[in-house]
Amino acid sequence: MTDISTFLWFDSAAEDAARFYTEHIPGARITGITRNPDGSAFVVQVDLAGHALTLMNGGPGHPFTDAASVQLVVDGQDEVDRLWAALTAGGKPGPCGWLTDRYGLSWQVVPAELPALMGGEHAAAAGAALQTMSKIDIAAIRAAIAAH
């Protein structure tokens, strides 16, 4: 059997980040912590709603970039709004549903219906609307499609 997980290198905040993520993301939980002799976390394993993450405190020198992100596909605008607020607290919003959290990790918070709206004959209108957004507003995308 092959296991696949995403491995993330933190300077020193892996355990704090894991606790933050599991507090805000439904179905997420810490599954293990390997500690250094001084009691600090070295490796933290997280189940992020069925996706395995390994967070390591490896020290400085390997910052995150937006070239890689964690995508959260969620049901409805209320969940987009809730997660956006939680993950941007101490972080910063980006374009088209991207954001950077307080630890520097990039995320995409995407409503589940977005892919269907972005395809077919209305793709151009939906895409144009999306490109004006930071946090995704699904009602505004629907309105752009209806006006097209």
Side-chain angles (χ1 to χ4, degrees), residues 10-132:
F10 288 77
D11 289 350
S12 61
E15 185 172 9
D16 186 47
R19 293 194 187 288
F20 178 75
Y21 301 150
T22 58
E23 176 184 340
H24 294 288
I25 298 170
R29 63 189 177 90
I30 295 173
T31 59
I33 302 175
T34 303
R35 297 203 177 273
N36 292 309
D38 67 1
S40 64
F42 176 53
V43 174
V44 182
Q45 295 163 318
V46 177
D47 179 324
L48 193 64
H51 181 82
L53 291 179
T54 301
L55 286 58
M56 180 185 78
N57 286 324
H62 299 279
F64 297 121
T65 74
D66 61 356
S69 61
V70 178
Q71 185 180 58
L72 297 173
V73 179
V74 302
D75 291 328
Q77 190 67 49
D78 288 346
E79 193 65 354
V80 169
D81 295 347
R82 186 187 71 75
L83 285 166
W84 186 269
L87 291 170
T88 57
K92 63 179 184 172
C96 302
W98 256 271
L99 64 91
T100 303
D101 72 16
R102 65 181 68 181
Y103 306 101
L105 184 61
S106 291
W107 296 81
Q108 299 172 56
V109 181
V110 179
E113 70 183 279
L114 184 66
L117 294 173
M118 296 296 296
E121 65 186 80
H122 301 293
L130 180 63
Q131 290 192 13
T132 68

